[in-house]
Each structure stands twice: as C-alpha cells, then as structure tokens.
Amino acid sequence: VDLLREWDRLKGTSKNRKISYDGCSSPKRSGGAGGSSSSAGGEHARRKRWLDEEYELSLESMDAKREMIVEIDGGMLTAWVAEKEKMDDEMKVLEEVLVHVLV
C-alpha cells in the first residue's frame, strides 16, 4: 500500500516538475522587427536540456523504487516459502499422530 502511494507521488512529482519549469521561465523575445531568434533557440536548448535532466532523474528514481520493490518481494517470498515448509513439517507430524491414534 505504501509503495502504491509512493508510485502515485512519483507520477505527481514529474507533473509538478513540468509545471514548475513552465511557471518559472518563459521565453523572452524582443518585440522589435529584428527579434532575437537565437535567444529563442537558446531557450529551446535550455528547456530541452532541463527536460532531459528531469527525465533522467525520474528514471533513476523509478529504478531505485523498482529495486526496492524487488528486494521487498524477494524477502516476502523467502519468508512465505519458509513458513510453508514449516507448516508442511507440522502437517506431517500431525498426520503421523493421527495414523498412530487410528491404528
């Protein structure tokens, strides 16, 4: 349940990052006839670089969470297998007792 909440939080974080970028920087272009297309291209390059970095951070975060989930699943699986073996051993003992009582 906590992992699902964390997943939802991560998805929301990526949306918030985009919104924070959009909200804090807007391309500033000169209104004159000789408008600066190089500054618009520079802004585009900065934005692309920023988005690439954010994408990489998101991927790294998802990989870390995935590894954590695998570890948890592996630990739970090991515990369940051990519990099943214990229960099987107890069942064998009970079956032997039942056979002795019936004989």
Side-chain angles (χ1 to χ4, degrees):
V1 176
D2 292 331
L3 293 175
L4 293 176
R5 278 191 222 131
E6 184 65 21
W7 178 255
D8 290 338
R9 186 188 68 76
L10 286 174
K11 288 194 305 188
T13 301
S14 67
K15 290 178 186 174
N16 289 340
R17 286 180 178 161
K18 182 182 183 319
I19 291 168
S20 69
Y21 182 86
D22 290 343
C24 72
S25 71
S26 59
K28 294 180 181 167
R29 299 179 186 163
S30 63
S36 175
S37 63
S38 64
S39 68
E43 176 63 25
H44 176 74
R46 279 190 297 278
R47 181 181 174 123
K48 182 174 180 349
R49 189 171 34 255
W50 183 86
L51 289 172
D52 288 345
E53 290 170 2
E54 288 297 313
Y55 182 70
E56 287 296 322
L57 288 173
S58 295
L59 288 177
E60 289 172 6
S61 177
M62 288 190 308
D63 284 342
K65 296 296 178 181
R66 185 175 293 121
E67 289 174 10
M68 185 177 74
I69 290 170
V70 167
E71 288 177 18
I72 290 171
D73 285 347
M76 291 175 69
L77 183 60
T78 302
W80 287 339
V81 167
E83 183 69 22
K84 182 184 181 303
E85 289 174 358
K86 180 182 171 188
M87 297 301 280
D88 287 344
D89 292 341
E90 289 179 11
M91 184 61 81
K92 287 178 186 175
V93 170
L94 288 174
E95 287 174 350
E96 289 176 8
V97 170
L98 180 61
V99 167
H100 282 77
V101 168
L102 293 175
V103 172

PDB file of all heavy atoms in Angstrom, residues 55-88:
ATOM      1  N   TYR A  55      14.047  14.054 -16.875  1.00  0.00           N
ATOM      2  CA  TYR A  55      13.698  12.710 -17.312  1.00  0.00           C
ATOM      3  C   TYR A  55      14.674  11.690 -16.727  1.00  0.00           C
ATOM      4  O   TYR A  55      14.265  10.647 -16.223  1.00  0.00           O
ATOM      5  CB  TYR A  55      13.700  12.655 -18.842  1.00  0.00           C
ATOM      6  CG  TYR A  55      13.305  11.323 -19.420  1.00  0.00           C
ATOM      7  CD1 TYR A  55      11.998  10.869 -19.333  1.00  0.00           C
ATOM      8  CD2 TYR A  55      14.247  10.519 -20.048  1.00  0.00           C
ATOM      9  CE1 TYR A  55      11.627   9.648 -19.862  1.00  0.00           C
ATOM     10  CE2 TYR A  55      13.893   9.293 -20.582  1.00  0.00           C
ATOM     11  CZ  TYR A  55      12.584   8.858 -20.485  1.00  0.00           C
ATOM     12  OH  TYR A  55      12.239   7.640 -21.004  1.00  0.00           O
ATOM     13  N   GLU A  56      15.970  12.004 -16.775  1.00  0.00           N
ATOM     14  CA  GLU A  56      16.977  11.107 -16.204  1.00  0.00           C
ATOM     15  C   GLU A  56      16.768  10.935 -14.708  1.00  0.00           C
ATOM     16  O   GLU A  56      16.870   9.822 -14.183  1.00  0.00           O
ATOM     17  CB  GLU A  56      18.393  11.642 -16.476  1.00  0.00           C
ATOM     18  CG  GLU A  56      18.835  11.486 -17.910  1.00  0.00           C
ATOM     19  CD  GLU A  56      18.961  10.026 -18.334  1.00  0.00           C
ATOM     20  OE1 GLU A  56      19.413   9.198 -17.525  1.00  0.00           O
ATOM     21  OE2 GLU A  56      18.597   9.723 -19.477  1.00  0.00           O
ATOM     22  N   LEU A  57      16.474  12.037 -13.994  1.00  0.00           N
ATOM     23  CA  LEU A  57      16.206  11.945 -12.558  1.00  0.00           C
ATOM     24  C   LEU A  57      14.997  11.062 -12.284  1.00  0.00           C
ATOM     25  O   LEU A  57      15.000  10.257 -11.348  1.00  0.00           O
ATOM     26  CB  LEU A  57      15.993  13.332 -11.963  1.00  0.00           C
ATOM     27  CG  LEU A  57      17.221  14.216 -11.832  1.00  0.00           C
ATOM     28  CD1 LEU A  57      16.816  15.622 -11.378  1.00  0.00           C
ATOM     29  CD2 LEU A  57      18.215  13.608 -10.870  1.00  0.00           C
ATOM     30  N   SER A  58      13.964  11.207 -13.087  1.00  0.00           N
ATOM     31  CA  SER A  58      12.765  10.390 -12.910  1.00  0.00           C
ATOM     32  C   SER A  58      13.076   8.913 -13.145  1.00  0.00           C
ATOM     33  O   SER A  58      12.627   8.047 -12.396  1.00  0.00           O
ATOM     34  CB  SER A  58      11.658  10.833 -13.862  1.00  0.00           C
ATOM     35  OG  SER A  58      11.229  12.127 -13.551  1.00  0.00           O
ATOM     36  N   LEU A  59      13.852   8.627 -14.187  1.00  0.00           N
ATOM     37  CA  LEU A  59      14.229   7.240 -14.463  1.00  0.00           C
ATOM     38  C   LEU A  59      15.056   6.645 -13.329  1.00  0.00           C
ATOM     39  O   LEU A  59      14.834   5.498 -12.921  1.00  0.00           O
ATOM     40  CB  LEU A  59      15.011   7.143 -15.778  1.00  0.00           C
ATOM     41  CG  LEU A  59      14.212   7.350 -17.058  1.00  0.00           C
ATOM     42  CD1 LEU A  59      15.150   7.299 -18.262  1.00  0.00           C
ATOM     43  CD2 LEU A  59      13.116   6.316 -17.195  1.00  0.00           C
ATOM     44  N   GLU A  60      16.007   7.422 -12.820  1.00  0.00           N
ATOM     45  CA  GLU A  60      16.824   6.937 -11.706  1.00  0.00           C
ATOM     46  C   GLU A  60      15.968   6.671 -10.481  1.00  0.00           C
ATOM     47  O   GLU A  60      16.143   5.672  -9.792  1.00  0.00           O
ATOM     48  CB  GLU A  60      17.925   7.947 -11.385  1.00  0.00           C
ATOM     49  CG  GLU A  60      19.005   8.020 -12.437  1.00  0.00           C
ATOM     50  CD  GLU A  60      19.983   9.159 -12.192  1.00  0.00           C
ATOM     51  OE1 GLU A  60      19.894   9.828 -11.141  1.00  0.00           O
ATOM     52  OE2 GLU A  60      20.843   9.368 -13.066  1.00  0.00           O
ATOM     53  N   SER A  61      15.026   7.560 -10.214  1.00  0.00           N
ATOM     54  CA  SER A  61      14.140   7.379  -9.069  1.00  0.00           C
ATOM     55  C   SER A  61      13.274   6.139  -9.241  1.00  0.00           C
ATOM     56  O   SER A  61      13.094   5.359  -8.306  1.00  0.00           O
ATOM     57  CB  SER A  61      13.267   8.618  -8.900  1.00  0.00           C
ATOM     58  OG  SER A  61      12.368   8.437  -7.845  1.00  0.00           O
ATOM     59  N   MET A  62      12.754   5.945 -10.456  1.00  0.00           N
ATOM     60  CA  MET A  62      11.932   4.756 -10.703  1.00  0.00           C
ATOM     61  C   MET A  62      12.759   3.479 -10.583  1.00  0.00           C
ATOM     62  O   MET A  62      12.287   2.485 -10.045  1.00  0.00           O
ATOM     63  CB  MET A  62      11.269   4.839 -12.078  1.00  0.00           C
ATOM     64  CG  MET A  62      10.158   5.859 -12.120  1.00  0.00           C
ATOM     65  SD  MET A  62       9.120   5.855 -13.591  1.00  0.00           S
ATOM     66  CE  MET A  62      10.269   5.929 -14.926  1.00  0.00           C
ATOM     67  N   ASP A  63      14.003   3.499 -11.062  1.00  0.00           N
ATOM     68  CA  ASP A  63      14.865   2.329 -10.925  1.00  0.00           C
ATOM     69  C   ASP A  63      15.129   2.005  -9.459  1.00  0.00           C
ATOM     70  O   ASP A  63      15.109   0.839  -9.059  1.00  0.00           O
ATOM     71  CB  ASP A  63      16.194   2.545 -11.656  1.00  0.00           C
ATOM     72  CG  ASP A  63      16.066   2.398 -13.162  1.00  0.00           C
ATOM     73  OD1 ASP A  63      15.064   1.796 -13.614  1.00  0.00           O
ATOM     74  OD2 ASP A  63      16.964   2.881 -13.882  1.00  0.00           O
ATOM     75  N   ALA A  64      15.372   3.028  -8.658  1.00  0.00           N
ATOM     76  CA  ALA A  64      15.612   2.815  -7.234  1.00  0.00           C
ATOM     77  C   ALA A  64      14.372   2.213  -6.569  1.00  0.00           C
ATOM     78  O   ALA A  64      14.477   1.262  -5.776  1.00  0.00           O
ATOM     79  CB  ALA A  64      15.986   4.129  -6.558  1.00  0.00           C
ATOM     80  N   LYS A  65      13.201   2.738  -6.911  1.00  0.00           N
ATOM     81  CA  LYS A  65      11.953   2.202  -6.348  1.00  0.00           C
ATOM     82  C   LYS A  65      11.721   0.771  -6.821  1.00  0.00           C
ATOM     83  O   LYS A  65      11.291  -0.089  -6.051  1.00  0.00           O
ATOM     84  CB  LYS A  65      10.754   3.077  -6.732  1.00  0.00           C
ATOM     85  CG  LYS A  65      10.817   4.452  -6.167  1.00  0.00           C
ATOM     86  CD  LYS A  65      10.756   4.427  -4.667  1.00  0.00           C
ATOM     87  CE  LYS A  65      10.867   5.830  -4.133  1.00  0.00           C
ATOM     88  NZ  LYS A  65      10.846   5.860  -2.680  1.00  0.00           N
ATOM     89  N   ARG A  66      12.024   0.499  -8.088  1.00  0.00           N
ATOM     90  CA  ARG A  66      11.852  -0.852  -8.623  1.00  0.00           C
ATOM     91  C   ARG A  66      12.764  -1.830  -7.880  1.00  0.00           C
ATOM     92  O   ARG A  66      12.345  -2.935  -7.513  1.00  0.00           O
ATOM     93  CB  ARG A  66      12.143  -0.865 -10.117  1.00  0.00           C
ATOM     94  CG  ARG A  66      11.863  -2.196 -10.781  1.00  0.00           C
ATOM     95  CD  ARG A  66      12.057  -2.147 -12.294  1.00  0.00           C
ATOM     96  NE  ARG A  66      11.048  -1.283 -12.894  1.00  0.00           N
ATOM     97  CZ  ARG A  66      11.316  -0.198 -13.620  1.00  0.00           C
ATOM     98  NH1 ARG A  66      12.562   0.164 -13.844  1.00  0.00           N
ATOM     99  NH2 ARG A  66      10.354   0.519 -14.135  1.00  0.00           N
ATOM    100  N   GLU A  67      14.005  -1.436  -7.639  1.00  0.00           N
ATOM    101  CA  GLU A  67      14.933  -2.291  -6.896  1.00  0.00           C
ATOM    102  C   GLU A  67      14.422  -2.535  -5.484  1.00  0.00           C
ATOM    103  O   GLU A  67      14.515  -3.654  -4.968  1.00  0.00           O
ATOM    104  CB  GLU A  67      16.322  -1.660  -6.854  1.00  0.00           C
ATOM    105  CG  GLU A  67      17.038  -1.691  -8.186  1.00  0.00           C
ATOM    106  CD  GLU A  67      18.353  -0.937  -8.167  1.00  0.00           C
ATOM    107  OE1 GLU A  67      18.813  -0.535  -7.070  1.00  0.00           O
ATOM    108  OE2 GLU A  67      18.931  -0.747  -9.256  1.00  0.00           O
ATOM    109  N   MET A  68      13.864  -1.499  -4.866  1.00  0.00           N
ATOM    110  CA  MET A  68      13.316  -1.651  -3.526  1.00  0.00           C
ATOM    111  C   MET A  68      12.146  -2.632  -3.534  1.00  0.00           C
ATOM    112  O   MET A  68      12.039  -3.496  -2.655  1.00  0.00           O
ATOM    113  CB  MET A  68      12.854  -0.291  -2.994  1.00  0.00           C
ATOM    114  CG  MET A  68      12.373  -0.336  -1.553  1.00  0.00           C
ATOM    115  SD  MET A  68      11.903   1.289  -0.922  1.00  0.00           S
ATOM    116  CE  MET A  68      10.348   1.523  -1.763  1.00  0.00           C
ATOM    117  N   ILE A  69      11.299  -2.544  -4.541  1.00  0.00           N
ATOM    118  CA  ILE A  69      10.151  -3.448  -4.642  1.00  0.00           C
ATOM    119  C   ILE A  69      10.629  -4.887  -4.836  1.00  0.00           C
ATOM    120  O   ILE A  69      10.108  -5.814  -4.221  1.00  0.00           O
ATOM    121  CB  ILE A  69       9.216  -3.006  -5.786  1.00  0.00           C
ATOM    122  CG1 ILE A  69       8.511  -1.718  -5.409  1.00  0.00           C
ATOM    123  CG2 ILE A  69       8.201  -4.091  -6.124  1.00  0.00           C
ATOM    124  CD1 ILE A  69       7.764  -1.065  -6.544  1.00  0.00           C
ATOM    125  N   VAL A  70      11.636  -5.075  -5.676  1.00  0.00           N
ATOM    126  CA  VAL A  70      12.170  -6.417  -5.917  1.00  0.00           C
ATOM    127  C   VAL A  70      12.738  -6.993  -4.624  1.00  0.00           C
ATOM    128  O   VAL A  70      12.517  -8.166  -4.306  1.00  0.00           O
ATOM    129  CB  VAL A  70      13.237  -6.381  -7.035  1.00  0.00           C
ATOM    130  CG1 VAL A  70      14.023  -7.666  -7.091  1.00  0.00           C
ATOM    131  CG2 VAL A  70      12.572  -6.108  -8.379  1.00  0.00           C
ATOM    132  N   GLU A  71      13.451  -6.179  -3.860  1.00  0.00           N
ATOM    133  CA  GLU A  71      14.001  -6.636  -2.587  1.00  0.00           C
ATOM    134  C   GLU A  71      12.884  -7.026  -1.621  1.00  0.00           C
ATOM    135  O   GLU A  71      12.962  -8.049  -0.953  1.00  0.00           O
ATOM    136  CB  GLU A  71      14.877  -5.557  -1.958  1.00  0.00           C
ATOM    137  CG  GLU A  71      16.196  -5.363  -2.659  1.00  0.00           C
ATOM    138  CD  GLU A  71      17.010  -4.226  -2.050  1.00  0.00           C
ATOM    139  OE1 GLU A  71      16.732  -3.823  -0.897  1.00  0.00           O
ATOM    140  OE2 GLU A  71      17.921  -3.751  -2.735  1.00  0.00           O
ATOM    141  N   ILE A  72      11.860  -6.193  -1.553  1.00  0.00           N
ATOM    142  CA  ILE A  72      10.739  -6.485  -0.659  1.00  0.00           C
ATOM    143  C   ILE A  72      10.032  -7.759  -1.099  1.00  0.00           C
ATOM    144  O   ILE A  72       9.751  -8.647  -0.291  1.00  0.00           O
ATOM    145  CB  ILE A  72       9.751  -5.302  -0.604  1.00  0.00           C
ATOM    146  CG1 ILE A  72      10.401  -4.130   0.129  1.00  0.00           C
ATOM    147  CG2 ILE A  72       8.443  -5.697   0.065  1.00  0.00           C
ATOM    148  CD1 ILE A  72       9.605  -2.842   0.054  1.00  0.00           C
ATOM    149  N   ASP A  73       9.753  -7.859  -2.417  1.00  0.00           N
ATOM    150  CA  ASP A  73       9.089  -9.057  -2.934  1.00  0.00           C
ATOM    151  C   ASP A  73       9.926 -10.298  -2.672  1.00  0.00           C
ATOM    152  O   ASP A  73       9.405 -11.333  -2.282  1.00  0.00           O
ATOM    153  CB  ASP A  73       8.820  -8.924  -4.435  1.00  0.00           C
ATOM    154  CG  ASP A  73       7.665  -7.992  -4.745  1.00  0.00           C
ATOM    155  OD1 ASP A  73       6.918  -7.642  -3.806  1.00  0.00           O
ATOM    156  OD2 ASP A  73       7.508  -7.625  -5.915  1.00  0.00           O
ATOM    157  N   GLY A  74      11.241 -10.190  -2.898  1.00  0.00           N
ATOM    158  CA  GLY A  74      12.129 -11.323  -2.659  1.00  0.00           C
ATOM    159  C   GLY A  74      12.140 -11.735  -1.204  1.00  0.00           C
ATOM    160  O   GLY A  74      12.096 -12.921  -0.871  1.00  0.00           O
ATOM    161  N   GLY A  75      12.175 -10.771  -0.307  1.00  0.00           N
ATOM    162  CA  GLY A  75      12.149 -11.059   1.129  1.00  0.00           C
ATOM    163  C   GLY A  75      10.839 -11.690   1.553  1.00  0.00           C
ATOM    164  O   GLY A  75      10.820 -12.642   2.351  1.00  0.00           O
ATOM    165  N   MET A  76       9.748 -11.176   1.011  1.00  0.00           N
ATOM    166  CA  MET A  76       8.437 -11.740   1.353  1.00  0.00           C
ATOM    167  C   MET A  76       8.312 -13.155   0.814  1.00  0.00           C
ATOM    168  O   MET A  76       7.794 -14.040   1.491  1.00  0.00           O
ATOM    169  CB  MET A  76       7.319 -10.854   0.803  1.00  0.00           C
ATOM    170  CG  MET A  76       7.217  -9.516   1.505  1.00  0.00           C
ATOM    171  SD  MET A  76       6.001  -8.418   0.765  1.00  0.00           S
ATOM    172  CE  MET A  76       4.480  -9.234   1.166  1.00  0.00           C
ATOM    173  N   LEU A  77       8.793 -13.376  -0.397  1.00  0.00           N
ATOM    174  CA  LEU A  77       8.720 -14.705  -0.992  1.00  0.00           C
ATOM    175  C   LEU A  77       9.527 -15.703  -0.170  1.00  0.00           C
ATOM    176  O   LEU A  77       9.065 -16.817   0.100  1.00  0.00           O
ATOM    177  CB  LEU A  77       9.215 -14.664  -2.441  1.00  0.00           C
ATOM    178  CG  LEU A  77       9.141 -15.964  -3.220  1.00  0.00           C
ATOM    179  CD1 LEU A  77       7.691 -16.454  -3.300  1.00  0.00           C
ATOM    180  CD2 LEU A  77       9.718 -15.792  -4.607  1.00  0.00           C
ATOM    181  N   THR A  78      10.715 -15.309   0.245  1.00  0.00           N
ATOM    182  CA  THR A  78      11.551 -16.180   1.071  1.00  0.00           C
ATOM    183  C   THR A  78      10.849 -16.502   2.383  1.00  0.00           C
ATOM    184  O   THR A  78      10.843 -17.653   2.823  1.00  0.00           O
ATOM    185  CB  THR A  78      12.909 -15.503   1.344  1.00  0.00           C
ATOM    186  OG1 THR A  78      13.539 -15.206   0.098  1.00  0.00           O
ATOM    187  CG2 THR A  78      13.808 -16.380   2.164  1.00  0.00           C
ATOM    188  N   ALA A  79      10.248 -15.506   3.001  1.00  0.00           N
ATOM    189  CA  ALA A  79       9.528 -15.721   4.263  1.00  0.00           C
ATOM    190  C   ALA A  79       8.336 -16.651   4.054  1.00  0.00           C
ATOM    191  O   ALA A  79       8.074 -17.539   4.880  1.00  0.00           O
ATOM    192  CB  ALA A  79       9.075 -14.385   4.837  1.00  0.00           C
ATOM    193  N   TRP A  80       7.617 -16.463   2.942  1.00  0.00           N
ATOM    194  CA  TRP A  80       6.460 -17.330   2.679  1.00  0.00           C
ATOM    195  C   TRP A  80       6.881 -18.774   2.427  1.00  0.00           C
ATOM    196  O   TRP A  80       6.228 -19.699   2.875  1.00  0.00           O
ATOM    197  CB  TRP A  80       5.661 -16.811   1.490  1.00  0.00           C
ATOM    198  CG  TRP A  80       4.882 -15.563   1.796  1.00  0.00           C
ATOM    199  CD1 TRP A  80       4.497 -15.112   3.031  1.00  0.00           C
ATOM    200  CD2 TRP A  80       4.401 -14.614   0.859  1.00  0.00           C
ATOM    201  NE1 TRP A  80       3.816 -13.930   2.902  1.00  0.00           N
ATOM    202  CE2 TRP A  80       3.734 -13.601   1.588  1.00  0.00           C
ATOM    203  CE3 TRP A  80       4.474 -14.508  -0.521  1.00  0.00           C
ATOM    204  CZ2 TRP A  80       3.138 -12.518   0.980  1.00  0.00           C
ATOM    205  CZ3 TRP A  80       3.874 -13.410  -1.126  1.00  0.00           C
ATOM    206  CH2 TRP A  80       3.219 -12.434  -0.378  1.00  0.00           C
ATOM    207  N   VAL A  81       7.965 -18.970   1.710  1.00  0.00           N
ATOM    208  CA  VAL A  81       8.453 -20.327   1.441  1.00  0.00           C
ATOM    209  C   VAL A  81       8.864 -20.994   2.752  1.00  0.00           C
ATOM    210  O   VAL A  81       8.540 -22.163   2.995  1.00  0.00           O
ATOM    211  CB  VAL A  81       9.622 -20.299   0.426  1.00  0.00           C
ATOM    212  CG1 VAL A  81      10.328 -21.636   0.375  1.00  0.00           C
ATOM    213  CG2 VAL A  81       9.113 -19.906  -0.951  1.00  0.00           C
ATOM    214  N   ALA A  82       9.558 -20.262   3.615  1.00  0.00           N
ATOM    215  CA  ALA A  82       9.966 -20.807   4.913  1.00  0.00           C
ATOM    216  C   ALA A  82       8.742 -21.159   5.756  1.00  0.00           C
ATOM    217  O   ALA A  82       8.706 -22.226   6.399  1.00  0.00           O
ATOM    218  CB  ALA A  82      10.854 -19.809   5.648  1.00  0.00           C
ATOM    219  N   GLU A  83       7.748 -20.279   5.742  1.00  0.00           N
ATOM    220  CA  GLU A  83       6.510 -20.541   6.503  1.00  0.00           C
ATOM    221  C   GLU A  83       5.784 -21.761   5.955  1.00  0.00           C
ATOM    222  O   GLU A  83       5.280 -22.596   6.713  1.00  0.00           O
ATOM    223  CB  GLU A  83       5.604 -19.314   6.453  1.00  0.00           C
ATOM    224  CG  GLU A  83       4.338 -19.431   7.261  1.00  0.00           C
ATOM    225  CD  GLU A  83       4.577 -19.442   8.756  1.00  0.00           C
ATOM    226  OE1 GLU A  83       5.625 -18.958   9.219  1.00  0.00           O
ATOM    227  OE2 GLU A  83       3.691 -19.945   9.478  1.00  0.00           O
ATOM    228  N   LYS A  84       5.741 -21.915   4.640  1.00  0.00           N
ATOM    229  CA  LYS A  84       5.083 -23.070   4.030  1.00  0.00           C
ATOM    230  C   LYS A  84       5.799 -24.361   4.403  1.00  0.00           C
ATOM    231  O   LYS A  84       5.158 -25.366   4.740  1.00  0.00           O
ATOM    232  CB  LYS A  84       5.048 -22.927   2.508  1.00  0.00           C
ATOM    233  CG  LYS A  84       4.320 -24.072   1.812  1.00  0.00           C
ATOM    234  CD  LYS A  84       4.386 -23.935   0.316  1.00  0.00           C
ATOM    235  CE  LYS A  84       3.663 -25.037  -0.398  1.00  0.00           C
ATOM    236  NZ  LYS A  84       4.109 -26.370  -0.088  1.00  0.00           N
ATOM    237  N   GLU A  85       7.120 -24.347   4.365  1.00  0.00           N
ATOM    238  CA  GLU A  85       7.878 -25.544   4.746  1.00  0.00           C
ATOM    239  C   GLU A  85       7.627 -25.898   6.203  1.00  0.00           C
ATOM    240  O   GLU A  85       7.471 -27.082   6.547  1.00  0.00           O
ATOM    241  CB  GLU A  85       9.371 -25.324   4.501  1.00  0.00           C
ATOM    242  CG  GLU A  85       9.725 -25.295   3.023  1.00  0.00           C
ATOM    243  CD  GLU A  85      11.183 -24.938   2.778  1.00  0.00           C
ATOM    244  OE1 GLU A  85      11.926 -24.673   3.750  1.00  0.00           O
ATOM    245  OE2 GLU A  85      11.572 -24.930   1.592  1.00  0.00           O
ATOM    246  N   LYS A  86       7.564 -24.898   7.071  1.00  0.00           N
ATOM    247  CA  LYS A  86       7.281 -25.128   8.489  1.00  0.00           C
ATOM    248  C   LYS A  86       5.894 -25.752   8.659  1.00  0.00           C
ATOM    249  O   LYS A  86       5.731 -26.724   9.412  1.00  0.00           O
ATOM    250  CB  LYS A  86       7.376 -23.812   9.249  1.00  0.00           C
ATOM    251  CG  LYS A  86       7.094 -23.919  10.724  1.00  0.00           C
ATOM    252  CD  LYS A  86       7.176 -22.561  11.378  1.00  0.00           C
ATOM    253  CE  LYS A  86       6.679 -22.625  12.810  1.00  0.00           C
ATOM    254  NZ  LYS A  86       6.564 -21.299  13.397  1.00  0.00           N
ATOM    255  N   MET A  87       4.911 -25.211   7.946  1.00  0.00           N
ATOM    256  CA  MET A  87       3.550 -25.741   8.043  1.00  0.00           C
ATOM    257  C   MET A  87       3.477 -27.167   7.490  1.00  0.00           C
ATOM    258  O   MET A  87       2.765 -28.017   8.035  1.00  0.00           O
ATOM    259  CB  MET A  87       2.566 -24.830   7.306  1.00  0.00           C
ATOM    260  CG  MET A  87       2.471 -23.420   7.887  1.00  0.00           C
ATOM    261  SD  MET A  87       1.960 -23.395   9.600  1.00  0.00           S
ATOM    262  CE  MET A  87       0.222 -23.610   9.406  1.00  0.00           C
ATOM    263  N   ASP A  88       4.201 -27.434   6.402  1.00  0.00           N
ATOM    264  CA  ASP A  88       4.233 -28.791   5.847  1.00  0.00           C
ATOM    265  C   ASP A  88       4.825 -29.776   6.848  1.00  0.00           C
ATOM    266  O   ASP A  88       4.323 -30.898   7.007  1.00  0.00           O
ATOM    267  CB  ASP A  88       5.042 -28.832   4.539  1.00  0.00           C
ATOM    268  CG  ASP A  88       4.315 -28.185   3.375  1.00  0.00           C
ATOM    269  OD1 ASP A  88       3.081 -27.969   3.478  1.00  0.00           O
ATOM    270  OD2 ASP A  88       4.984 -27.887   2.355  1.00  0.00           O
TER     271      ASP A  88
END
